[in-house]
């Protein structure tokens, strides 16, 4: 693993809107996530600015008065970066930079920057570079006279350093070159997938930072990089896993996120192909997160977009060791909220009636692992028998005690 370099955190402020499609609670949730994204990228958030508008202002996203308020705060507190929760149009970006006179980033640019930091292999770097160039192309009119671009920082990695006078044709040529390079690698990866033999393929899917890599490590007894930051894993990792005496291939994939930039979905097509071509999806959910139901919906939406939503699936609710709730007093007659629901009560809701096999675990403490392994074994066995009926594996029934002894 590469050693981490100590670096100075940038001071940033966040900006978001309450609109008819996004109430105050939803905005707070998105802003919490944006703050985690900023922290992952290397920034400390000093303040949040919010405004209630029916829709974003076409010129500066926020109203002129709010833009002035942000400008004054940024100047007084020596803030270097202003991050907006939604994607800004090229004209909004240019107007805001002229108005506030510091570096302006939107959610898309921030996510692209994190991907640029996290990309370890040539393949991942090529995917990210393509996404960055496609984001940059319509924004080449940006004004940077007030900034020292050379100093780098969040949003400045990779093609972000391209000089403003870069000809659009050069960038288009670079995009074509990267697309050709990715096509070649995609063919190689497709060949690799075809050469993996007669084994069932399972893919871990889920929102970012739900513990997929930790679970991968526990199941495959390997050391896939795992960290409590968003998008810790970018490169697809495939490991052979044996449960009982049944071998299958397990893939760890890039985490999903709400408002995932379309450039990234396209660039990471081959990574998503691992999900598309899997026989079984293992959907990992962080049950300790207050918005886990929204996370499930976001993942399901992306699965639908890539036409992978009809596959057999197992629902694994992870991080039960981190789950907490507020128990109400018996004489408290105020209506219960989500915060008052215990884990046992959650299990009796839609989760217990899900059409998919469901289990509650902790990937860290390995609580309920025998139950989870038995569930995965049954699903993989069922797929294997229907897919490869004449394969000569010597199957035996899964033995929980035997499996526990092997751990």
């Amino acid at each position: 693993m590469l050693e981490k370099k100590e670096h100075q955190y940038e001071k940033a402020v966040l900006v978001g809107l309450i609109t008819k499609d996004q109430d105050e609670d939803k905005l707070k949730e998105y802003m919490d996530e944006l703050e985690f994204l900023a922290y992952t990228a290397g920034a400390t958030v000093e303040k949040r600015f919010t405004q209630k508008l029916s829709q974003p202002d076409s010129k500066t996203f926020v109203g002129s008065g709010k833009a002035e308020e942000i400008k004054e705060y940024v100047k007084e507190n020596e803030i270097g970066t202003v991050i907006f929760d939604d994607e800004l149009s090229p004209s909004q970006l240019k107007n805001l930079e002229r108005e506030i006179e510091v570096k302006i980033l939107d959610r898309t640019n921030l996510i692209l920057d994190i991907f640029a930091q996290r990309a370890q292999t040539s393949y991942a770097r090529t995917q990210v570079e393509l996404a960055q160039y496609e984001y940059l192309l319509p924004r080449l009119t940006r004004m940077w006279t007030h900034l020292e671009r050379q100093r780098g920082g969040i949003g400045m990695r990779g093609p972000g350093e391209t000089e403003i006078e870069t000809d659009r044709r050069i960038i288009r040529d670079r995009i074509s070159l990267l697309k050709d390079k990715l096509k070649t690698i995609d063919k190689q990866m497709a060949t690799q997938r075809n050469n993996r033999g007669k084994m069932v393929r399972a893919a871990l899917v889920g929102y970012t930072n739900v513990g997929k890599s930790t679970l991968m490590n526990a199941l495959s007894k390997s050391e896939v990089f795992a960290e409590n930051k968003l998008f810790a894993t970018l490169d697809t990792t495939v490991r052979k896993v044996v449960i009982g005496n049944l071998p299958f291939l397990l893939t760890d994939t890039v985490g999903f996120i709400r408002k995932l930039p379309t450039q990234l979905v396209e660039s990471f097509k081959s990574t998503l192909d691992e999900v598309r071509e899997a026989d079984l999806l293992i959907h990992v959910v962080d049950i300790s997160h207050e918005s886990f139901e929204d996370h499930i919906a976001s993942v399901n939406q992306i699965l639908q977009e890539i036409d992978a939503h009809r596959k057999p699936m197992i629902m694994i609710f992870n991080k039960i060791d981190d789950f907490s709730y507020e128990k109400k007093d018996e004489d408290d007659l105020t209506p219960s909220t989500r915060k008052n629901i215990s884990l046992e009560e959650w299990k009796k809701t839609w989760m217990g009636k899900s059409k998919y096999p469901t289990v509650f675990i902790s990937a860290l403490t390995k609580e309920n692992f025998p139950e989870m392994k038995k569930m995965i074994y049954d699903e993989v066995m069922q797929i294997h028998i229907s897919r490869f009926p004449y394969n000569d594996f010597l199957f035996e029934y899964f033995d929980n005690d035997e499996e526990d002894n092997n751990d």
Side-chain angles (χ1 to χ4, degrees):
M1 192 185 298
L2 292 174
E3 275 189 39
K4 283 191 164 184
K5 293 179 182 176
E6 292 294 323
H7 66 280
Q8 191 79 27
Y9 274 80
E10 292 182 34
K11 289 167 74 175
V13 297
L14 308 182
V15 184
L17 290 182
I18 300 167
T19 65
K20 59 179 185 294
D21 300 320
Q22 185 169 277
D23 62 21
E24 196 170 342
D25 290 340
K26 187 64 68 178
L27 176 64
K28 182 189 179 300
E29 195 182 303
Y30 285 160
M31 295 288 264
D32 287 346
E33 188 168 85
L34 189 66
E35 183 164 344
F36 200 4
L37 283 166
Y39 162 71
T40 301
T44 55
V45 174
E46 302 293 317
K47 188 176 171 67
R48 297 179 180 187
F49 290 90
T50 60
Q51 186 176 26
K52 195 169 186 177
L53 290 176
S54 57
Q55 60 185 38
D57 186 279
S58 59
K59 290 182 180 177
T60 52
F61 189 75
V62 291
S64 56
K66 182 62 71 173
E68 185 62 34
E69 183 188 337
I70 295 169
K71 180 181 179 179
E72 286 175 11
Y73 181 87
V74 161
K75 200 170 184 180
E76 287 171 12
N77 295 275
E78 298 180 346
I79 305 294
T81 309
V82 180
I83 306 171
F84 287 76
D85 187 44
D86 288 287
E87 186 167 325
L88 300 170
S89 69
S91 62
Q92 285 172 332
L93 202 52
K94 185 174 70 171
N95 293 335
L96 284 164
E97 282 172 348
R98 189 183 290 130
E99 175 76 21
I100 301 176
E101 298 183 338
V102 294
K103 181 167 56 181
I104 305 293
L105 300 178
D106 58 16
R107 188 184 181 95
T108 298
N109 201 348
L110 185 61
I111 292 173
L112 289 172
D113 183 82
I114 295 168
F115 270 57
Q117 291 182 55
R118 298 278 170 168
Q120 296 295 322
T121 65
S122 169
Y123 183 49
R125 284 195 291 269
T126 304
Q127 290 175 311
V128 174
E129 190 181 349
L130 174 61
Q132 286 181 308
Y133 274 127
E134 289 183 331
Y135 173 84
L136 181 66
L137 187 58
R139 294 167 173 83
L140 281 176
T141 55
R142 292 167 72 167
M143 305 288 288
W144 291 98
T145 51
H146 54 275
L147 284 176
E148 297 172 356
R149 283 202 72 145
Q150 288 73 24
R151 71 183 175 184
I154 303 171
M156 300 294 100
R157 281 167 269 259
E161 294 171 7
T162 308
E163 292 295 331
I164 197 66
E165 61 269 14
T166 301
D167 187 78
R168 287 177 185 273
R169 181 181 55 78
I170 295 173
I171 293 215
R172 287 199 183 98
D173 288 347
R174 182 67 182 157
I175 287 173
S176 297
L177 190 72
L178 290 168
K179 282 184 174 176
D180 289 342
K181 187 177 176 182
L182 284 178
K183 277 180 191 172
T184 304
I185 302 174
D186 286 346
K187 283 179 185 174
Q188 292 168 355
M189 292 185 77
T191 305
Q192 284 175 13
R193 284 195 290 268
N194 292 333
N195 290 340
R196 285 179 191 159
K198 291 187 174 181
M199 269 199 261
V200 173
R201 287 184 284 184
L204 292 166
V205 297
Y207 210 73
T208 182
N209 203 41
V210 295
K212 294 189 300 299
S213 297
T214 305
L215 183 58
M216 175 78 153
N217 289 338
L219 284 170
S220 64
K221 300 177 177 63
S222 60
E223 289 299 321
V224 176
F225 180 63
E227 186 184 16
N228 186 29
K229 281 191 175 181
L230 303 181
F231 305 115
T233 306
L234 278 195
D235 291 298
T236 301
T237 308
V238 183
R239 293 281 185 271
K240 181 181 174 183
V241 176
V242 181
I243 297 180
N245 67 332
L246 177 61
F248 63 97
L249 295 173
L250 184 63
T251 304
D252 187 16
T253 59
V254 63
F256 298 159
I257 195 168
R258 287 171 291 204
K259 305 180 186 178
L260 187 69
T262 51
Q263 296 95 334
L264 277 174
V265 174
E266 184 56 35
S267 297
F268 277 73
K269 176 183 170 295
S270 188
T271 303
L272 295 170
D273 278 345
E274 290 284 355
V275 176
R276 256 191 294 261
E277 296 185 21
D279 303 303
L280 172 68
L281 299 182
I282 299 174
H283 186 166
V284 185
V285 180
D286 176 3
I287 186 110
S288 69
H289 197 289
E290 61 181 15
S291 303
F292 73 86
E293 287 179 292
D294 284 344
H295 292 177
I296 292 171
S298 298
V299 171
N300 287 339
Q301 184 183 341
I302 294 172
L303 290 176
Q304 193 153 2
E305 284 173 12
I306 64 173
D307 199 26
H309 58 293
R310 298 185 188 89
K311 294 181 178 293
M313 186 186 288
I314 293 173
M315 295 292 296
I316 294 182
F317 290 92
N318 187 26
K319 302 192 184 182
I320 59 173
D321 56 308
D322 208 24
F323 179 86
S324 62
Y325 74 104
E326 296 172 12
K327 190 172 182 178
K328 284 179 64 179
D329 294 330
E330 288 183 13
D331 57 352
D332 185 351
L333 300 179
T334 55
S336 293
T337 66
R338 293 172 55 87
K339 292 178 181 176
N340 306 126
I341 304 176
S342 70
L343 193 58
E344 291 308 311
E345 287 170 328
W346 271 119
K347 291 178 183 179
K348 292 172 186 172
T349 63
W350 59 268
M351 296 178 188
K353 302 165 189 167
S354 170
K355 63 179 179 178
Y356 302 115
T358 302
V359 65
F360 295 77
I361 68 147
S362 166
L364 271 181
T365 65
K366 297 193 174 180
E367 190 176 346
N368 293 340
F369 257 43
E371 184 185 346
M372 176 193 68
K373 287 181 174 180
K374 175 71 167 68
M375 197 171 281
I376 295 173
Y377 178 92
D378 290 344
E379 290 296 309
V380 171
M381 171 69 89
Q382 194 174 338
I383 294 166
H384 190 97
I385 290 170
S386 63
R387 187 70 50 84
F388 315 117
Y390 303 110
N391 201 310
D392 56 357
F393 278 123
L394 296 173
F395 294 116
E396 296 170 8
Y397 287 109
F398 179 85
D399 185 338
N400 275 343
D401 295 331
E402 177 193 336
E403 185 62 29
D404 289 343
N405 293 335
N406 290 339
D407 278 343

